[in-house]
Amino acid sequence: MQNKQQTQYQGIAGKTVVVTGAAAGIGFCLSKAFAEQGAKVFMIDLNQAALTEATAQLKDYTVQGYAASVTDDDAVRSAFEVCQNSFGLVDVLFNNAGISLNKPSLEISMNEWRRCVDINLSSLFLCSQEAAKQMQQRGSGVIINTASIWGLSTSAERTAYCTTKAGVVSMTKCLAAEWGKLGIRVLAIGPGYTRTALVEKLQQENTLDVADLERRTPLGRLAEPEEIAELALFLASDAAKFMTGQTYLIDGGWEANGFQ
């Protein structure tokens, strides 16, 4: 099928790409973008119904869905085994799965805390470890983690979220330093507020003031999921082959404006 991307990124066509949290939002946009570049995309998501719908939308490309929890050790190992059997060794992993937890710290239960740590941080290590085991066999690979603008700053009532996303930033650096000798690059993307179906739903429910977020963003708008995907494509491509260990914000100037 003819590529729909305006830019063709070298080094992506034919590669095996794993995306977690792939059925909706930024994860689906990432999966679509890599598929349009000619990659073989293995889409992991906990929601089987959403995953079935997502893969149906990408039926003209080489994609495969796999329903699994990224916090389940055995399920993750099985997912990467299936991916290798279907598409070959993993070339690119995009750790996208994550949750938000905005709540007064005195009210956070230990179950909520553990769930946030498990999904936002531990799952990234688990998936990265499985991917790296395959990547080292060919001496190359790219792992991209979803951090956040809040991984580089702090806020009241975001203790769990900020802590886990800061952990993603630190883990990205640690793994980049350790796995560089294996030919594996490890990077992170720190999105600002992005216009997804979830954000639009929260806006309709009046639980998120999008107009206020836009006023506080120097560029005056939210990010589009396609813009996050565009950065991911660049970082995974040969154009970025000397880039590793860094977190790249894509926030419309939010951080530069002091997180006002």
Side-chain angles (χ1 to χ4, degrees):
M1 184 171 183
Q2 186 176 3
N3 179 33
K4 297 179 182 179
Q5 295 282 352
Q6 292 183 346
T7 304
Q8 186 67 35
Y9 291 90
Q10 271 194 326
I12 293 179
K15 294 293 179 68
T16 298
V17 178
V18 175
V19 180
T20 69
I26 293 173
F28 175 75
C29 196
L30 288 164
S31 300
K32 183 173 183 288
F34 277 100
E36 288 176 342
Q37 291 285 323
K40 299 169 289 185
V41 183
F42 193 80
M43 303 169 65
I44 301 176
D45 201 283
L46 183 62
N47 188 328
Q48 177 66 76
L51 191 58
T52 299
E53 181 179 346
T55 53
Q57 291 184 53
L58 300 178
K59 60 182 176 61
D60 293 325
Y61 301 97
T62 305
V63 302
Q64 181 176 341
Y66 190 91
S69 168
V70 289
T71 65
D72 183 324
D73 302 27
D74 292 334
V76 168
R77 280 190 286 271
S78 295
F80 278 85
E81 287 175 5
V82 171
C83 178
Q84 181 177 354
N85 291 335
S86 298
F87 294 150
L89 295 172
V90 175
D91 295 290
V92 179
L93 165 65
F94 200 107
N95 281 311
N96 174 69
I99 60 170
S100 181
L101 180 58
N102 297 349
K103 190 174 184 178
S105 297
L106 291 177
E107 299 176 11
I108 297 174
S109 70
M110 285 312 299
N111 283 339
E112 289 173 320
W113 176 269
R114 291 188 185 100
R115 182 169 183 265
C116 193
V117 172
D118 282 348
I119 296 175
N120 286 357
L121 188 58
S122 298
S123 74
L124 273 67
F125 176 74
L126 178 59
C127 291
S128 295
Q129 191 178 56
E130 289 302 313
K133 289 175 183 177
Q134 294 188 25
M135 292 173 177
Q136 70 173 342
Q137 295 182 48
R138 64 157 52 100
S140 65
V142 181
I143 296 171
I144 304 176
N145 299 317
T146 296
S148 168
I149 53 173
W150 295 113
L152 297 173
S153 188
T154 56
S155 173
E157 302 189 0
R158 285 191 175 91
T159 300
Y161 187 74
C162 290
T163 299
T164 54
K165 290 302 184 178
V168 171
V169 172
S170 181
M171 182 170 64
T172 296
K173 288 181 175 291
C174 290
L175 295 182
E178 182 177 347
W179 291 348
K181 63 180 178 293
L182 302 178
I184 301 171
R185 297 191 293 116
V186 188
L187 310 113
I189 291 177
Y193 289 96
T194 305
R195 191 173 294 281
T196 62
L198 175 60
V199 166
E200 292 178 354
K201 179 176 181 291
L202 294 174
Q203 182 180 19
Q204 292 169 2
E205 295 172 349
N206 294 319
T207 56
L208 187 67
D209 190 342
V210 171
D212 180 59
L213 295 176
E214 291 175 338
R215 282 192 297 270
R216 293 163 62 188
T217 303
L219 291 186
R221 63 177 178 85
L222 305 189
E224 297 295 335
E226 291 79 9
E227 293 172 315
I228 311 300
E230 197 78 15
L231 177 56
L233 289 173
F234 170 75
L235 292 176
S237 75
D238 290 347
K241 61 186 178 182
F242 199 60
M243 299 168 71
T244 192
Q246 299 300 314
T247 297
Y248 299 93
L249 294 184
I250 178 166
D251 64 353
W254 183 283
E255 185 270 343
N257 200 32
F259 290 85
Q260 299 296 318

